[in-house]
Amino acid sequence: MITDNARALLSTGTICDSCLGRPFADRSFGLTNAERGGALRTTVALADDEDFEPTDPADCWVCEGYCGTFDAIAETIVDELADVDFATYQVGTRVPPLVEENERLLREDAGLEPDVGESMKREMNREVGRRVGALTDTDVDFDRPDVLAVVDLQGFDPFETLESGTVTSHAVDVQINPAFVYGRYRKLERDIPQTEWPCRECGGSGVQLGDDGEVDCEYCGGSGYMYDTSVEQVVRPHVVEAMDGDEGTFHGAGREDVDARMLEEGRPFVLEVKRPHNRDPDPATLEREINDAAEGAVEVEGLRLATYEMVERVKEHDASKHYRADVVFGEPVEEAAFDAALAELEGTTVDQYTPERVDHRRAGLTRERTVYEIDGDLHEPTEAEVRLHGEGGLYVKELISSDNGRTEPSLAGLLETDAKVTALDVTGVEGEHEPFELEEYFRSEPRADRDDELAETAD
Ligand SMILES: [Zn+2]
Ligand SMILES: [Zn+2]
């Protein structure tokens, strides 16, 4: 009988309504534990015709006052998040081991199962979380919240808090999850790496040891980088600043060679911003800022706010590539032979042994890649333009040159002459089976825009 259990719990000593209600947390959905406990206390008093005595959490031997601190904790969390933009949150609590022990003792002394009902940790997370949500008009998200507040109950004295109504900020650790911007980039000039590339001589420090101490690194001229800039360095600072974050990471959907341009529709990427204080920058403004600052070397388009799933999407999604290559032959080539060689390569699956240039440390292996489509124009007997659409991972320079026989078949092999790519452009990166852009990986329109609309309506 529930009143017998409540009576047994009350006989263990002075306990507050929350602690009395928590063993019955699986009953009557919609009540708080404090409401369950208060009702049981009233029921027992009536059944036994005893004077009713309300109990203050400060006197509770189980929670030692913590059940009276929900409001104060929530207010501290909200203060800590004052300059952070978020739509979803989660609250976590570290409960002192002594209090957890009290919870077991309470149930044991009352002859109940040691873990019946709910733990204080769960009640604390829910009650504090509910208050945070109400104060900030945001929603709880147990999966991937924008912000996570972890409360360490040992970080404050509950009795002091019951007196003052405040909790020190030291007891609350606020974590801000990353935010993401998706887009496509074009690289209109050669010799720009996709991501920043620290100087191999000075390791990125920009200095080397001279006779009289540190001097500028000769190799990189003191910049610390192998190249003056990179797509990452063009894009990242603007996104990090717009989102008011700490740092950013560039994730590309594969990468082209440093000396290849990336043209036409561009290549998908995601910029991940750590600890963003603004999750809703206007992508159109951001796009303009990046393109203005890049002065034509790099362009971005189609920027949109994305979910974290988009990182894996751009990194893992199977994509085929379109290329345009300028090719020079060692000996003059006949038009008919050129056309026949391209016809031979179209639709062919090519065996490619890992090229020498790729990575000297990587163990070599032979991979099969398909040339979906290929065509070209022989401009001169020793000069041609070749355009092709190939499976992801196809090494195009080697498909042309044969890479000393490591790629079979190849254009050089079929024509029985040397062939070399002198300029390469990537003209398209597209998902093999479906596009990169899936609506479910994008966030709805930025809040800023909606605020603007509201402001306009209000005027
Ligand atoms: Zn209590
Ligand atoms: Zn250097």
Side-chain angles (χ1 to χ4, degrees):
M1 183 60 186
I2 185 168
T3 32
D4 293 334
N5 288 340
R7 195 176 285 114
L9 289 162
L10 286 166
S11 71
T12 64
T14 306
I15 61 173
C16 71
D17 286 348
S18 289
C19 290
L20 175 58
R22 216 154 46 243
F24 309 101
D26 50 1
R27 287 171 175 258
S28 301
F29 183 77
L31 291 174
T32 65
N33 288 327
E35 286 165 345
R36 290 185 183 94
L40 287 167
R41 191 187 306 280
T42 308
T43 304
V44 169
L46 286 168
D48 300 349
D49 188 18
E50 290 192 348
D51 293 347
F52 180 80
E53 282 181 64
T55 303
D56 198 311
D59 302 322
C60 175
W61 74 268
V62 179
C63 68
E64 298 179 339
Y66 282 114
C67 288
T69 63
F70 300 150
D71 285 314
I73 296 172
E75 280 162 24
T76 298
I77 292 173
V78 171
D79 282 351
E80 289 297 293
L81 290 169
D83 63 345
V84 181
D85 170 33
F86 65 101
T88 56
Y89 68 88
Q90 195 184 325
V91 170
T93 310
R94 276 197 284 273
V95 174
L98 266 178
V99 172
E100 288 185 329
E101 179 63 16
N102 289 349
E103 292 215 277
R104 274 192 298 278
L105 286 175
L106 167 69
R107 288 161 175 76
E108 212 177 278
D109 289 358
L112 304 177
E113 289 296 313
D115 58 351
V116 69
E118 189 177 45
S119 67
M120 191 167 107
K121 184 188 181 73
R122 280 196 57 162
E123 173 169 19
M124 193 57 95
N125 291 346
R126 189 185 55 256
E127 290 298 332
V128 173
R130 239 172 37 177
R131 287 162 171 80
V132 170
L135 289 168
T136 56
D137 192 19
T138 56
D139 298 317
V140 69
D141 179 349
F142 296 110
D143 183 31
R144 185 88 191 181
D146 292 345
V147 294
L148 172 64
V150 178
V151 184
D152 183 0
L153 296 186
Q154 288 188 95
F156 67 94
D157 181 339
F159 300 113
E160 277 178 21
T161 295
L162 291 172
E163 290 278 311
S164 66
T166 61
V167 168
T168 168
S169 61
H170 296 304
V172 172
D173 180 28
V174 167
Q175 296 161 27
I176 308 172
N177 279 325
F180 306 87
V181 171
Y182 170 87
R184 286 174 170 260
Y185 73 83
R186 280 187 288 274
K187 211 171 85 183
L188 303 174
E189 291 173 12
R190 303 187 192 282
D191 299 321
I192 299 177
Q194 184 190 73
T195 49
E196 64 178 19
W197 192 340
C199 171
R200 72 160 79 100
E201 293 300 316
C202 63
S205 67
V207 293
Q208 61 183 175
L209 217 49
D211 293 338
D212 305 313
E214 286 186 343
V215 294
D216 277 359
C217 168
E218 271 176 29
Y219 197 80
C220 63
S223 71
Y225 293 108
M226 298 286 283
Y227 294 88
D228 289 342
T229 188
S230 63
V231 177
E232 176 178 26
Q233 284 159 286
V234 167
V235 173
R236 187 182 57 202
H238 299 278
V239 183
V240 170
E241 194 193 351
M243 289 193 154
D244 193 9
D246 280 356
E247 54 181 321
T249 308
F250 189 96
H251 306 282
R255 61 174 66 204
E256 61 284 335
D257 293 338
V258 173
D259 60 2
R261 292 185 298 181
M262 179 70 241
L263 305 176
E264 311 224 353
E265 302 299 305
R267 185 185 294 272
F269 71 90
V270 170
L271 207 292
E272 172 176 3
V273 176
K274 307 270 164 61
R275 287 188 63 80
H277 286 63
N278 171 18
R279 308 186 86 87
D280 289 298
D282 175 31
T285 308
L286 192 51
E287 194 169 308
R288 252 193 328 272
E289 277 172 17
I290 294 169
N291 289 335
D292 286 352
E295 294 179 329
V298 171
E299 285 177 1
V300 294
E301 73 172 22
L303 293 200
R304 290 184 70 180
L305 304 175
T307 67
Y308 75 98
E309 287 113 322
M310 205 57 171
V311 173
E312 196 182 318
R313 180 75 170 175
V314 298
K315 288 169 89 166
E316 306 291 338
H317 193 48
D318 285 339
S320 66
K321 318 283 162 57
H322 295 261
Y323 296 92
R324 194 205 65 79
D326 291 331
V327 178
V328 168
F329 300 111
E331 290 159 41
V333 171
E334 299 275 336
E335 184 94 46
F338 178 70
D339 291 343
L342 293 183
E344 181 84 28
L345 288 175
E346 173 136 326
T348 294
T349 298
V350 181
D351 287 335
Q352 294 196 302
Y353 190 77
T354 308
E356 193 83 6
R357 68 179 171 97
V358 171
D359 188 342
H360 297 279
R361 293 159 303 181
R362 194 190 294 173
L365 80 161
T366 300
R367 302 196 294 183
E368 291 189 345
R369 292 292 185 269
T370 302
V371 180
Y372 297 138
E373 291 167 286
I374 186 166
D375 68 5
D377 297 303
L378 192 64
H379 295 313
E380 303 280 339
T382 58
E383 283 180 34
E385 178 183 284
V386 172
R387 296 171 295 273
L388 69 99
H389 179 202
E391 187 178 353
L394 175 74
Y395 293 114
V396 174
K397 288 173 177 171
E398 286 71 16
L399 174 73
I400 301 299
S401 73
S402 94
D403 194 26
N404 291 319
R406 289 188 188 82
T407 288
E408 173 64 31
S410 68
L411 187 61
L414 291 167
L415 292 172
E416 297 178 346
T417 178
D418 286 349
K420 189 176 182 319
V421 172
T422 55
L424 184 66
D425 296 323
V426 185
T427 52
V429 176
E430 62 183 58
E432 291 267 13
H433 306 295
E434 58 178 27
F436 278 89
E437 290 92 348
L438 270 196
E439 275 311 308
E440 62 188 282
Y441 296 143
F442 291 116
R443 294 192 31 224
S444 49
E445 287 311 300
R447 264 206 302 277
D449 284 4
R450 297 206 298 274
D451 288 348
D452 288 348
E453 278 165 29
L454 288 177
E456 277 166 27
T457 329
D459 280 348

